[in-house]
């Protein structure tokens, strides 16, 4: 639904970090039926693949994505995945760019880039005001190193779907608000049964909703 308040995402909240993984890391190479993660070649020929919670295929994976891998390692050292999961760290509209530091901001997150960051569909120089999807590694509650940035080819609509991973702070259960990093989040419109029972300051969450562009 539409956010209540400027720049305040509202929507689903799902706790993260509870999956048992064979590996979690950056995709550094892709070949037919296989990917390389953390230096390990992993067969994905029979793996189920999900991208941002939706069923996907090997063609949807990209170099630079941070993925979670479930599977097994054989006695000969080869690895076979049973599932590959990718979830964006942030999805929204870039509202600030620091060309000197090569950083940008969205949804209260400072996103760092360098020469190893993979850009798809655009460049760092043209990020301001663009809708982007960011995969990367968390440096701090509101600090992210981007390994892969996808720039949307379409102009952002008045209200943009948003998603961000962060740590809960300043939780106000009465007002049904909290912050994720430095981004205020309003969940007043959510059904009580949809709010995780363990929602509390210091808990890592994934927040989905919408913000005005």
């Amino acid at each position: 639904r539409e956010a209540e308040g400027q720049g305040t995402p509202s929507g689903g909240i799902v706790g993260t970090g509870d999956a048992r993984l064979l590996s979690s890391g950056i995709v550094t190479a892709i070949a037919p039926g296989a990917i390389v993660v953390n230096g390990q070649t992993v067969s994905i020929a029979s793996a189920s693949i999900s991208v941002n919670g939706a069923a996907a295929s090997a063609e949807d994976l990209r170099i630079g994505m941070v993925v979670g891998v479930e599977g097994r390692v054989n006695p000969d050292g080869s690895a076979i995945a049973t599932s590959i999961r990718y979830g964006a760290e942030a999805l929204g509209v870039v509202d600030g760019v620091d060309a000197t530091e090569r950083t940008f901001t969205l949804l209260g997150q400072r996103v760092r880039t360098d020469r190893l960051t993979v850009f798809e569909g655009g460049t760092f120089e043209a990020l301001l005001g663009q809708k982007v999807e960011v995969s990367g590694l968390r440096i701090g509650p509101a600090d992210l190193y981007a390994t892969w940035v996808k720039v949307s080819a379409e102009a952002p609509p008045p209200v943009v779907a948003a998603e961000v991973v962060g740590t809960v702070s300043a939780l106000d259960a009465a007002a049904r608000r909290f912050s994720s990093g430095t981004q205020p989040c309003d969940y007043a419109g959510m059904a009580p049964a949809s709010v995780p029972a363990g929602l509390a300051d210091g808990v890592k969450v994934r927040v989905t909703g919408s913000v005005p562009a």
Side-chain angles (χ1 to χ4, degrees):
R1 65 182 181 84
E2 185 172 348
E4 297 181 3
Q6 180 69 27
T8 302
S10 59
I13 307 166
V14 180
T16 63
D18 57 354
R20 294 182 179 180
L21 302 177
L22 168 69
S23 180
S24 178
I26 304 167
V27 176
T28 55
I30 297 176
I35 59 175
V36 178
V37 179
N38 294 335
Q40 172 74 63
T41 300
V42 182
S43 171
I44 61 172
S46 58
S48 63
I49 299 173
S50 66
V51 171
N52 291 328
S57 67
E59 288 71 26
D60 297 306
L61 300 177
R62 298 288 189 272
I63 291 174
M65 283 182 170
V66 177
V67 298
V69 182
E70 295 181 0
R72 70 179 189 274
V73 177
N74 296 320
D76 63 2
S78 62
I80 299 176
T82 56
S83 71
I84 304 291
R85 295 183 294 107
Y86 163 77
E89 282 289 318
L91 174 64
V93 175
V94 175
D95 55 24
V97 173
D98 185 329
T100 302
E101 297 292 330
R102 287 195 66 83
T103 64
F104 62 91
T105 56
L106 78 159
L107 299 174
Q109 306 288 303
R110 180 175 69 162
V111 183
R112 307 185 191 199
T113 70
D114 61 19
R115 62 184 181 82
L116 298 178
T117 303
V118 178
F119 284 88
E120 180 177 335
T123 65
F124 175 88
E125 289 72 21
L127 285 179
L128 188 62
Q130 297 298 305
K131 181 181 178 181
V132 299
E133 177 179 342
V134 180
S135 183
L137 304 173
R138 182 67 52 184
I139 301 171
D143 208 352
L144 178 65
Y145 166 66
T147 55
W148 178 75
V149 179
K150 181 180 180 181
V151 184
S152 175
E154 300 178 355
V159 176
V160 178
E163 184 169 343
V164 64
V165 175
T167 301
V168 174
S169 63
L171 175 64
D172 185 336
R176 296 169 67 82
R177 296 175 64 90
F178 63 89
S179 292
S180 173
T182 62
Q183 175 65 50
C185 302
D186 181 346
Y187 63 100
M190 289 179 61
S194 299
V195 180
L199 186 65
D201 285 347
V203 172
K204 186 180 179 182
V205 295
R206 180 181 297 275
V207 183
T208 60
S210 59
V211 293

